[in-house]
Amino acid sequence: MTHNFPVLIVTVPLLSAFIISGLSWVKKSLCFPVALLALGTSVFCAIGLLFRVLDLGVVEYHMGGWMPPWGIAYRVDLLNGLMLVIVSLVALTNLVATHRTVVADFPEKHGTFYTLYVLFVTGLMGISVTGDVFNLYVLLEITSLTAYALIALGQPDRAPLASLNYVFIGTIGACFYLLGIGYLYIMTGSLNMADIASLLPPIYHSKAVLVAFIFCMVGVCTKMAFFPLHVWLPNAYTYAPDAATSVIAPLMTKVMVYVMIRLVFSVFLPDFSFHVLHISHAFVWLACLAIVMGSLLALSQKNIKTMLTYIIVSEIGYMVGGFWLGNRLGMSGAILHILNDAIMTLCLFLAVGNISYKIRELDFVHLKGLFRKMPITMAAFVAGGLSAIGVPPTCGFFSKWYLISGAIQAGQYGFMLALLFSSLVNVVLFFRIIEIAYFEPMEPHNDTTGLKGSIIEAPLTMLVPLLIVAVSLVVVGIYSGDIVTTLIAPILPKGIG
Amino acid sequence: MDVLIHHIIGKYNYWLYTILMMIGLYAMIAKNNLIKKLVGMNIFQTAIILFYVSIACKKGATIPIIEEHGGSVAGHAIRVADYINPLPHVLMLTAIVVSVSTFGVALALAVKIYQKYKTLEEDEILMRLRDK
């Protein structure tokens, strides 16, 4: 049983997705429990797998018993062990928290929604667990296709157009990645990550390997919405249904950052990426640009959900920049920030989901007096906001601390300034919302209940997961030292100073 | 001159796929009609499929089904150079499935957009959105 964890993580949700789509014809009320069971199994397997990796080191699983260079291998080390736990836990929490929203938003179609949801999570798990570059492409497309469909279920005026734009740009991104691995295949004749890594060193100076690297990176950067390639993200995430945004926003971009780290660590190797190529500076400067522009664009928004999407754009800059600093502190900060940003984004978007469940409007003007109406939701929102700003003891502070220390150690003061700038902008962004929601008087016309000034808090099934996420912001923050020493430090390759 | 010929004629498959890819990309960027953009996207994907299939090719080789010599293969060593590489073709079967499903999802979205706005011209849709 424990031996099969790597494959169960993917197959259980995959098969459940088919069962759910069948059940949606027979008995709709069973769709949610099956999805819950499937993702629960994934969480169980992911946590079991992480402990197994901590005990035994790298876990490998050969599909159908075919040995690696020929067959597809699933390879789990601490980095993707951690990713699997993040993905499965975020997906499960969001599934529970948004059940009410889904039933309310899609009374007829929630079977379809859950099918897509579980398939989406399957794709993300597969991307995290696989050790084969082409398998990664296929799972990437499974994830993207379901994400397109989930986004298109949103606001009927705008969502299809936003989703179609995402289809165009996302497909170009995936195609570039496919081209990149095509060049790798020409040069090495292999698709297995470990095998490619062992064959590449003698041909590091070949132009074809350089082209492969560039194509792969452009593809991955498009998919993760790294600044100049981010244009699809804000609209797609804003007009998606709330229940979908709060799973796509925390996971999709973070998993793509993981793919970038995986490509550098296990395919091209850090030696090539940092010493042969000399492009780490360019990446860090692009990341600075991403952080500053993301923050500035967030400042000009009037809708809370759109504002958060631009914050994601700048957070992607944190992770990419921190990683390409090329020292242990920066990389630890970047990997820790994947975890922290996933929790943080989940917390903020769940809170936004609760607000939209009750108020239906997310423009700033409709938020007046919200602290009195939804005190618990707003408290969780403030916790998420503080973490995005980087206030101790929330987890956002600690990853930012690692990133800034890394920037100073690498002498990248521009990156440090960009991080500080974005923290200051986040202060403005979140305190503006707190001011509107706390101090400004309520307007009678947006009081949908008719009971002026009374509490209209979201139901318990939405509040409890939100509070758990908000508390975990602080818990992860307090234990971030342990997380870095036990989980993240062993991942980093030896050559990194 | 020899170098030039070597680069253009000798590697014509790469040139072809690059040109096709650029045609697709051009359509996606410059065309106004959403369906034309979709066709551009499809050309872009097909160019990559062509690229993969062309790198499997070997001169004088045949399809990768082992010819039986008098009922048994055992007596003869299989010469790899006699058969083209089947792996890129297999990969592209998957890629074709992906591209077909992407196209399907995109067409479904285009239908939704058409039902909403009664047009598929991007500038008209954007104009209507701005008027709101």
Side-chain angles (χ1 to χ4, degrees):
Chain A
M1 175 71 185
T2 50
H3 171 72
N4 289 324
F5 274 169
V7 73
L8 283 178
I9 278 180
V10 180
T11 44
V12 170
L14 180 66
L15 295 177
S16 308
F18 289 108
I19 297 172
I20 295 169
S21 92
L23 275 177
S24 67
W25 295 92
V26 188
K27 200 165 163 58
K28 283 204 182 62
S29 56
L30 278 178
C31 294
F32 174 70
V34 174
L36 193 67
L37 202 67
L39 294 186
T41 318
S42 286
V43 170
F44 174 75
C45 293
I47 293 174
L49 196 60
L50 184 63
F51 279 111
R52 215 173 132 81
V53 174
L54 275 173
D55 285 346
L56 305 172
V58 177
V59 173
E60 283 215 12
Y61 186 92
H62 305 144
M63 284 286 174
W66 289 88
M67 289 316 281
W70 297 283
I72 292 170
Y74 278 4
R75 193 171 181 283
V76 186
D77 58 13
L78 278 175
L79 179 59
N80 44 8
L82 183 67
M83 273 321 286
L84 287 169
V85 173
I86 297 173
V87 170
S88 55
L89 274 178
V90 168
L92 183 70
T93 318
N94 184 59
L95 184 80
V96 176
T98 57
H99 180 49
R100 287 280 195 118
T101 327
V102 173
V103 174
D105 285 358
F106 316 108
E108 292 301 309
K109 284 193 287 192
H110 68 261
T112 319
F113 180 86
Y114 283 125
T115 310
L116 290 170
Y117 187 99
V118 173
L119 263 180
F120 176 73
V121 179
T122 309
L124 291 176
M125 301 277 215
I127 294 176
S128 309
V129 81
T130 189
D132 182 283
V133 282
F134 189 78
N135 198 233
L136 198 152
Y137 163 76
V138 175
L139 288 158
L140 179 62
E141 282 300 68
I142 292 177
T143 318
S144 306
L145 282 170
T146 45
Y148 304 147
L150 281 173
I151 288 167
L153 283 171
Q155 207 177 312
D157 294 3
R158 304 290 302 270
L161 192 62
S163 177
L164 192 62
N165 274 328
Y166 183 18
V167 172
F168 289 139
I169 299 176
T171 306
I172 295 184
C175 283
F176 273 129
Y177 174 78
L178 184 62
L179 260 183
I181 58 177
Y183 279 97
L184 276 182
Y185 181 73
I186 295 177
M187 294 312 286
T188 62
S190 178
L191 292 168
N192 182 279
M193 288 184 187
D195 198 35
I196 295 176
S198 69
L199 293 168
L200 271 186
I203 47 171
Y204 270 167
H205 292 278
S206 147
K207 285 280 181 292
V209 178
L210 178 69
V211 170
F213 181 83
I214 292 170
F215 274 142
C216 284
M217 284 300 146
V218 170
V220 172
C221 284
T222 314
K223 285 275 185 189
M224 74 165 93
F226 190 49
F227 170 66
L229 307 167
H230 73 286
V231 279
W232 56 269
L233 185 139
N235 274 349
Y237 286 8
T238 306
Y239 300 119
D242 296 317
T245 315
S246 49
V247 70
I248 298 175
L251 293 182
M252 185 73 192
T253 48
K254 258 61 41 171
V255 169
M256 291 324 292
V257 174
Y258 157 77
V259 171
M260 183 189 76
I261 296 177
R262 171 62 69 203
L263 286 176
V264 169
F265 276 2
S266 314
V267 179
F268 293 99
L269 301 181
D271 193 30
F272 175 72
S273 316
F274 288 99
H275 300 130
V276 180
L277 277 189
H278 306 295
I279 55 157
S280 49
H281 283 282
F283 259 112
V284 174
W285 281 110
L286 273 175
C288 295
L289 196 65
I291 295 171
V292 172
M293 289 309 289
S295 301
L296 287 179
L297 288 167
L299 262 180
S300 65
Q301 304 307 318
K302 291 188 176 59
N303 178 302
I304 183 169
K305 216 171 161 187
T306 323
M307 184 195 91
L308 291 177
T309 58
Y310 280 105
I311 291 179
I312 296 176
V313 173
S314 76
E315 301 278 343
I316 292 297
Y318 287 23
M319 286 173 267
V320 176
F323 178 72
W324 285 100
L325 286 175
N327 53 28
R328 295 190 83 84
L329 281 170
M331 284 185 181
S332 313
I335 297 169
L336 184 64
H337 202 71
I338 292 181
L339 167 68
N340 293 348
D341 194 45
I343 309 175
M344 210 151 82
T345 321
L346 178 68
C347 180
L348 289 169
F349 276 102
L350 279 183
V352 168
N354 284 5
I355 296 170
S356 115
Y357 182 69
K358 281 294 175 188
I359 312 275
R360 296 264 149 223
E361 295 282 348
L362 289 171
D363 289 340
F364 288 164
V365 283
H366 297 284
L367 301 179
K368 289 175 184 169
L370 207 58
F371 266 97
R372 248 152 293 161
K373 284 190 210 162
M374 311 180 75
I376 304 173
T377 302
M378 284 313 284
F381 183 83
V382 170
L386 290 180
S387 180
I389 295 166
V391 179
T394 52
C395 57
F397 168 75
F398 295 95
S399 45
K400 225 170 248 181
W401 180 261
Y402 277 102
L403 290 172
I404 290 180
S405 323
I408 293 173
Q409 199 188 57
Q412 293 279 9
Y413 296 104
F415 186 61
M416 188 190 77
L417 285 178
L419 283 173
L420 293 176
F421 174 76
S422 133
S423 307
L424 287 177
V425 172
N426 282 355
V427 171
V428 176
L429 290 171
F430 285 103
F431 276 86
R432 188 169 56 173
I433 291 175
I434 293 171
E435 193 208 336
I436 294 170
Y438 198 84
F439 293 110
E440 299 215 7
M442 232 175 297
E443 277 179 33
H445 72 262
N446 67 20
D447 204 346
T448 43
T449 53
L451 302 163
K452 197 167 183 283
S454 60
I455 290 178
I456 50 159
E457 194 53 88
L460 268 185
T461 48
M462 299 173 78
L463 277 184
V464 174
L466 176 62
L467 282 181
I468 292 173
V469 175
V471 170
S472 68
L473 281 173
V474 179
V475 175
V476 170
I478 291 168
Y479 286 101
S480 49
D482 292 330
I483 294 174
V484 169
T485 44
T486 50
L487 293 177
I488 297 176
I491 301 168
L492 303 176
K494 300 239 162 26
I496 304 288
Chain B
M1 195 60 196
D2 275 355
V3 181
L4 198 68
I5 288 172
H6 174 73
H7 274 303
I8 293 175
I9 313 282
K11 298 188 164 108
Y12 71 95
N13 56 330
Y14 297 102
W15 289 103
L16 272 180
Y17 105 80
T18 316
I19 292 166
L20 263 181
M21 220 170 102
M22 289 306 120
I23 291 172
L25 200 61
Y26 170 78
M28 288 175 84
I29 294 168
K31 291 293 168 190
N32 194 21
N33 187 299
L34 291 176
I35 300 295
K36 285 185 183 165
K37 281 182 179 233
L38 277 180
V39 173
M41 184 180 88
N42 227 13
I43 295 174
F44 190 86
Q45 288 172 312
T46 313
I48 293 170
I49 293 171
L50 196 68
F51 159 73
Y52 265 84
V53 170
S54 73
I55 61 173
C57 185
K58 288 173 191 166
K59 216 169 228 170
T62 178
I63 48 169
I65 298 169
I66 293 170
E67 287 176 54
E68 291 190 38
H69 300 279
S72 89
V73 188
H76 298 263
I78 298 161
R79 288 202 306 146
V80 183
D82 285 346
Y83 302 100
I84 58 169
N85 184 356
L87 190 81
H89 295 86
V90 179
L91 297 181
M92 281 313 103
L93 279 181
T94 320
I96 288 168
V97 173
V98 168
S99 92
V100 167
S101 35
T102 313
F103 201 53
V105 171
L107 280 177
L109 290 173
V111 169
K112 273 228 160 192
I113 292 170
Y114 184 75
Q115 283 169 350
K116 183 78 203 168
Y117 298 101
K118 296 285 169 240
T119 176
L120 282 169
E121 302 295 324
E122 204 178 18
D123 54 350
E124 289 176 27
I125 296 171
L126 291 178
M127 214 149 66
R128 220 169 287 181
L129 283 174
R130 226 168 282 143
D131 290 342
K132 269 187 191 170

